[in-house]
Each structure stands twice: as C-alpha cells, then as structure tokens.
Amino acid sequence: MAWRSIVEPSLNSEEVQVIRQLRIPRTVLGLLAGIALGVAGALIQALTRNPLADPGILGVSAGAQFSLVAASFFLGSLSVMASIWWALAGALVATLAVYGLSLSRRGRSAEPATLVLAGVAFGAVLSGVTTALVLLRPQIFDMMRVYSAGNLNGHELSTVMVIVPFVAAGLLISLCSAGSLNAIALGDAPAKALGVRIAPVRIAVIASVTLLCGAATALAGPIGFVGLMIPHVVRWLFGVQQGWILIFTTVLAPVLLLGSDILGRIILPHAEVSAGIVTAFVGAPMLLILARRKKASTL
C-alpha cells in the first residue's frame, strides 16, 4: 500500500492519505535531519579533535531555538516557513558570534579548545534567555514543549523540502573538507607542514555545521545523541579516515533517527514518545559501551 500510494496518484483512500500526508513527510524529514545531525557531529568532532563534541557544542542549536522563541515572543504566531527562516538565521548568527568570541586578540583563527569553550558558554546564555522568554508566554511554552523534545511529526512534504538546499550545501562543503580534516586530526603543526590552510578549513567546517544543524533544528527541534554517537560507531566499524566517516554517517544516522521515531510510536499503546527522547534512551547506553572501546573513541 505504501508503494502504491506513491506511484499511483489516482488512489485516494483514507490509508493512502495517511501515508501521503503524514508518513512520507515524516520519513523524509527523518532522513534529512538524521544525515544533517550525523555529519555535523562528525565534522565538529574532527575539527575540535574532541570525541565528545556534539553538533550543539558551537551554540548552533541554542541559536536556532532562541531565534525562534524570540520571533514568536515579539511577533506573535509564526507560519511554518517563517519559523524555518528564523531558526536558520539564529543558527548563523550564533555561529558567527561564537567564532568571533573565540578569535585571539591578534585576529588569528580560533583554536579548537577556544571554540568549544565559547560555544558552550554562549549556548548556555542563549538557553537561559530562551527559558525566560518561554516562561513569560504560555502559548510559546506550549509550542516549545513539543519542539524542544525533538519531533518529526506535523510537517507537510513541501515544508520539509525547504531544508533540502541547506542540507545539500552543508554536505557538499563537508565532503570537500574531508581530506584537510584528516591532516588536522594530526594537529595544527603537522597539518601546516602538509600544506593545509587551517583557517579556511575551519571556516568551511563551521559553515557546514551551521547549515546542517540549523536546517535540522529548524524543523525537527534539538535532537541529541545522533551527532554524538554515530561518528563513534562509524570509526569503530570503518576506521578514522574522514571521507569514509562522512559517507557511512549519512547512512547510519538516519537509520538511528527513523528507528527511534518508529520505536516512539509503538512503545506506548495510546501515546507517542518524541524521537529526541528515544534517541537519548537508545544512544546513552550504546555510547557508554562504545566509549570503552579505544578504537571507537579515538580520533
């Protein structure tokens, strides 16, 4: 029935409408968000040489969430399209702010450790302000109650397709940066000796993470553990070459997110658990197991 509902437009039963209007958009969003979050996690772990780095560590998710809440607070109810653009704008501004804060006084490129510290600090400030705004408006609280848990439901296919160019651009940038990230993994000095221009690579990776994480967060909300855990699994199975890590992450990350979404729909008989909550329950124990394997946790 699912396949016929796609290839036979003449079908118009209730089951077909459910598949076309609910299941297909949900699946496409799961694929796009899974790929975006997984690749963003692999990139930021490679850039910072930190196996515990997460796509939200640069404040991207916090920036997208803050922008969406602030726009709703001051402008009132937003359309879905407006929400996407506000979230993407917030992700971009937050990333630029974090990168600016992490620059040295001499204007040199930011070091990985400084980027992480600036991202965590800036993200914490934005999260605090976001919480304050949410508590001041009950209607925003109701909206964020579902959004902040990470949810793939409630979007039309036309809305989901809006983020495709952003995800595609982020993936293209990431693949172009893979070779340089292999050298940066050795350290800044060896990378420079190999002829890698570190500053442009860092800017490219940050731009890619912004596009990927911002697009995913705009529609699906801040979903955790996908970008943190999947790169560990890929390194454990396929090694530390960044090209292969990015390729296999695009396969395994949506598997985790879509599997979590399906599990969330069937785990309770008369209720639904958000995908972001399920990924935390599934991802945390698996990450603990992988962290004990030296090969999985080594960059």
Side-chain angles (χ1 to χ4, degrees):
M1 177 60 74
W3 177 249
R4 290 183 61 197
S5 66
I6 299 174
V7 299
E8 298 183 22
S10 59
L11 293 178
N12 198 29
S13 65
E14 183 177 349
E15 292 82 1
V16 169
Q17 292 304 315
V18 169
I19 293 173
R20 289 175 179 170
Q21 298 179 14
L22 298 178
R23 293 291 182 258
I24 292 178
R26 192 167 184 162
T27 301
V28 173
L29 178 56
L31 288 171
L32 293 174
I35 291 171
L37 294 173
V39 172
L43 289 174
I44 201 62
Q45 288 178 15
L47 178 67
T48 62
R49 298 192 291 274
N50 182 359
L52 297 179
D54 182 79
I57 203 169
L58 291 182
V60 180
S61 298
Q65 193 170 1
F66 168 76
S67 179
L68 183 58
V69 169
S72 300
F73 186 89
F74 292 107
L75 302 178
S77 179
L78 300 174
S79 66
V80 175
M81 294 297 296
S83 299
I84 294 174
W85 288 108
W86 276 106
L88 287 168
L92 176 61
V93 171
T95 305
L96 293 176
V98 168
Y99 191 78
L101 289 172
S102 61
L103 290 175
S104 66
R105 292 184 178 180
R106 298 180 180 179
R108 294 178 299 179
S109 61
E111 296 297 322
T114 312
L115 271 173
V116 171
L117 291 174
V120 171
F122 193 70
V125 172
L126 289 181
S127 296
V129 178
T130 300
T131 302
L133 294 177
V134 168
L135 294 176
L136 290 174
R137 290 283 178 88
Q139 62 271 29
I140 299 179
F141 177 82
D142 291 336
M143 177 190 71
M144 296 305 297
R145 182 170 53 86
V146 177
Y147 174 82
S148 61
N151 202 319
L152 303 180
N153 197 22
H155 300 289
E156 297 180 355
L157 184 59
S158 58
T159 303
V160 174
M161 297 305 291
V162 171
I163 69 172
V164 170
F166 301 98
V167 175
L171 289 177
L172 180 61
I173 296 172
S174 68
L175 291 175
C176 293
S177 305
S180 299
L181 287 174
N182 284 322
I184 290 177
L186 302 174
D188 288 357
K192 290 179 181 179
L194 291 173
V196 175
R197 298 175 61 191
I198 296 177
V201 174
R202 285 182 179 152
I203 293 173
V205 170
I206 290 172
S208 178
V209 171
T210 301
L211 290 169
L212 294 170
C213 192
T217 304
L219 284 186
I223 297 176
F225 279 98
V226 177
L228 179 61
M229 185 186 71
I230 292 300
H232 283 270
V233 176
V234 174
R235 282 194 295 271
W236 175 42
L237 294 174
F238 304 105
V240 297
Q241 210 279 336
Q242 291 299 323
W244 291 114
I245 289 175
L246 295 177
I247 291 173
F248 286 110
T249 295
T250 62
V251 177
L252 296 181
V255 170
L256 172 63
L257 186 53
L258 287 173
S260 298
D261 184 51
I262 294 172
L263 184 60
R265 295 203 300 266
I266 64 176
I267 195 172
L268 296 178
H270 302 292
E272 182 175 319
V273 181
S274 297
I277 297 175
V278 180
T279 56
F281 275 104
V282 174
M286 187 174 295
L287 185 62
L288 290 174
I289 295 172
L290 288 170
R292 297 178 63 86
R293 295 177 177 270
K294 183 177 181 181
K295 184 177 179 180
S297 58
T298 300
L299 292 172

